[in-house]
Amino acid sequence: MWNPDLSTPSVVSEPITGYTIGTKAYGLVEVLVDCPGTQALFTYNVPERLSIRVGDILSVPLGGQIVGGIAIRFVDRLPDGLSIDKIKDIDDVVASGLFKANYWQWLTQIAEYYYTPLIQVIKVALPPGLLTRSHRRIRALISDESAITTDSNSGIFLSHIAKQILNLLNSHPARNYSWQHIQKQVPQARRGLRELLDRQLVESYLESGKTQHPKLQKAVILTSELVGSDLNDRQRKVVEILKQYHGELWQSDLLKLIDSKSSAILKNISDKGYIAIVNKEKLRSEQELGIFQQEQAKVLTSDQAVALATINQLSGFAQVLLHGVTGSGKTEVYLQAIEQILSQSRSVLVLVPEIGLTPQLTDRFRSRFGDKVCVYHSALSDGERYDTWRQMLTPTSQIIIGTRSAIFAPLPNLGLIVLDEEHDSSFKQDQPSPTYQTRDIAKWRAQLESCPLILGSATPSLETWVNVTTNQPSTYYLSLPTRVQSRPLPPVEIVDMRQELQQGNRSIFSRPLAQALRQMQANKQQGILFIHRRGHSTFVSCRSCGYVCECPNCDVSLAYHQPGAAEHAQLRCHYCNHRQPQPRKCPECDSAYFKFFGSGTQKIVEELDREFPQLKCLRFDSDTTRTKGAHRQILTAFVRGEADLLVGTQMLTKGLDLPQVTLVGVIAADGLLHLSDYRAAERTFQTLTQVAGRSGRGDEAGKVIIQTYNPEHPVLAAVTKHDYAAFINAELPERRVLDYPPYGKLILLRFSSLDAAAVEQTVTEIGVALNDAAISGHYEVLGPAPATVMRVSNRYRWQIMLKYLANGTATLPDWELLRTKCSNVVKMTIDVDPQNFL
Ligand code: ADP
Ligand code: ZN
Ligand code: ZN
């Protein structure tokens, strides 16, 4: 017998060539075993008595125990070094049909495309412990066991053990028990169960483990729509608010909305019989009721109506680009398209950029679809993740809104996938493997599920643009060229900061921007100031000797962080999170002129305080939004008019729809323009267009001011005119000449090691080997070169890029062979279609 020993990884079968997906009565099957300390693939034999489908939840023997597993794929070959007599039989099928077979087919496709072992893809897709936290239960399907145990005509005779199990089950009011309990009560229950299952007298299923108690919280429910004369104005307002929110709110949210700290007012209205205050279960999946105004389905503009009609008539796979300028009502089109999918009892996946997951967006979805909406992102706790996962496995139609990892949501009835802001770089996973591009794997999934994929953007990625506009099959281009209600796009003014300096203005704020800020405040309007974080780092240096504080582990300067009131200032590394107190004097020359430079958000806010003391500012960046609920707090304060200006980074560019914002300022566009990779122009155009799009979304006209030292840059001209076509027409030929995506393809090999010499030697050798094979392989080798930041967390990093045409002529190297050339202290990872070259 083969006893898998958990300590030897050799039994974990690496991908085996030649497998099939589907139903098979017997053979070899790879099973994902998921128990504490182990998440790995093992090969098992399917005994003849069982019929197994890919995706079934199984029980299998492992190291003397019976553990849970999922059938991943059939294989027709044994793992190397194992003989058939070492392979164990699957014990039983616990539950069938929980996962669809094509889900596993899709994961396999991802593993192959991104050159990643299947188990690693599964680890990204499934939260650990999914099976261990769930319990197998058995339910009797026949209530009156005497009907089958005594009726000799039917010819059914049950063994003693089977009868015992059936009796036990029928003693329970709901006729089911956990398998664990049955095994305790009935000796040798396993044999009896097999018999009952074969005769379909019982069923086996999986119930989610209730290890944590549901959280109860007070909710207020409207019980009468009529407002009587016995209510005073304040009490009436409570009833009105509840009506707006579909008659139900968490008590804490309601109190916030009426600006009250005490629940006495609610008690009073409750006593009069208008509302009820009840304890409701609050799912750990971030179910917050919103503070943003509730909204109804809108009457569509004609462009929106055309887009929706096209989407609604799609059946089967299709890739749709919804290209709509900022504020053109793309979200409204998604919402109404989703409505139709839900009415067909199917589910929807909505993917948004990491920083686009604003409370405003989720509120909009919740206000339309209520508790059908689940939010899923990487910051959930394990408990929340697990709850959401169990919820996703149920066949009820639902909407999952999440960031890139939510693409793995195992919804059984997927009817539509929406990728909002499809151009956003957070849809690409840089590490660890698989280094997937959500847009691409979403397309494969939509193909397997035969459902449409909608890609929405004001500034589509060049990949999508070329894909959809070159008449590929099943692609649709839908355009929303104007803002709703004929609102104009805001005029964009470019300010030359060199001229400002020449004319004696040394402030961070140009005169036009300063003027606009004053005007904005005089008109009681609000504004947004955008700072590109990487543009100017907030490094600390000595004004006497020029010494710069650097991270001891990485080749970057440390960033300055203003602490809370009583704390000492800190320096932090944005790569490895190293922290140290800010020295009071220069460590090199003892000079006291040791200051921080640059224009981070903090710096800008300080400058604003100095130059515009009457302006109230709120910081909205990764520092101020770190704690849970902070996004919502800051935005709520801003929406309520508690500040004039929202000052922040990239986070401001996505998904904010604040009608009262009329001014958008960009402090320095230059950091964006000078990013050192072939996508710099594309990223600049996208970011600036998105930021500009936050302005003038309400009744008042908006404006945008972009400050730069490079006013002639052609990308800025395209941004000024809101001219995507001009940008594309300039950019695409450049990509074509150099065979960059979307025409060519790239693979980035990343190497790193604690040993500087070892990694350099490895990349040199591999570079030579690749160059030797490049001509016959029809690819080009760029590098080896050190990474832009060569050392991170004390690891020395090098990279080699392969570039080749997408037409299939290239023969790529055998990566595993290449890996064998690596010194064993060097780590090599393969980034397919890389986006981040830092
Ligand atoms: P986008 O996602 O394209 O930037 P949104 O969907 O956020 O645009 O729409 C911008 C604003 O216009 C939102 O406040 C939305 O409620 C409103 N809106 C969208 N469609 C309509 C419509 N047909 N009629 C009136 N208002 C609309
Ligand atoms: Zn110094
Ligand atoms: Zn560091």
Side-chain angles (χ1 to χ4, degrees), residues 538-560:
T538 50
F539 64 93
V540 180
S541 75
C542 172
R543 291 191 179 189
S544 304
C545 78
Y547 172 85
V548 175
C549 272
E550 293 197 332
C551 176
N553 314 315
C554 313
D555 290 338
V556 291
S557 46
L558 293 171
Y560 176 85

Side-chain angles (χ1 to χ4, degrees), residues 352-374:
V352 297
E354 239 148 53
I355 49 188
L357 198 56
T358 59
Q360 192 176 22
L361 181 91
T362 50
D363 285 2
R364 255 173 109 177
F365 275 81
R366 289 223 170 94
S367 87
R368 292 282 171 94
F369 304 115
D371 55 11
K372 279 189 181 307
V373 178
C374 256

Side-chain angles (χ1 to χ4, degrees), residues 80-195:
D80 286 341
L82 279 181
S83 56
I84 188 74
D85 56 312
K86 296 252 170 83
I87 300 288
K88 288 189 171 182
D89 278 359
I90 285 167
D91 172 63
D92 210 346
V93 178
V94 174
S96 203
L98 210 53
F99 285 101
K100 284 169 80 173
N102 69 21
Y103 184 76
W104 305 105
Q105 189 178 347
W106 176 60
L107 295 190
T108 307
Q109 196 177 353
I110 295 168
E112 285 176 358
Y113 184 84
Y114 292 102
Y115 306 111
T116 305
L118 180 60
I119 183 65
Q120 232 161 297
V121 179
I122 292 172
K123 282 182 178 172
V124 172
L126 294 199
L130 187 67
L131 295 180
T132 29
R133 295 219 220 172
S134 308
H135 299 298
R136 182 184 195 179
R137 289 186 82 84
I138 310 294
R139 181 190 291 126
L141 296 171
I142 300 234
S143 58
D144 183 6
E145 75 273 18
S146 61
I148 28 157
T149 48
T150 56
D151 181 3
S152 50
N153 291 338
S154 70
I156 300 175
F157 293 102
L158 281 180
S159 71
H160 177 64
I161 298 172
K163 276 186 211 164
Q164 253 184 306
I165 295 176
L166 213 50
N167 282 332
L168 177 65
L169 289 172
N170 280 314
S171 71
H172 185 281
R175 300 211 300 277
N176 67 69
Y177 272 113
S178 76
W179 176 229
Q180 226 175 356
H181 177 75
I182 297 172
Q183 281 176 302
K184 271 191 210 129
Q185 300 298 314
V186 182
Q188 297 194 304
R190 193 169 293 279
R191 269 170 46 202
L193 176 67
R194 186 73 264 144
E195 208 179 320

Side-chain angles (χ1 to χ4, degrees), residues 298-299 304 327-332 364 484-485 657 697:
K298 307 251 180 336
V299 179
Q304 284 175 321
S328 59
K330 292 182 291 292
T331 313
E332 188 63 34
R364 255 173 109 177
V484 292
Q485 293 169 345
D657 180 35
R697 294 168 77 96

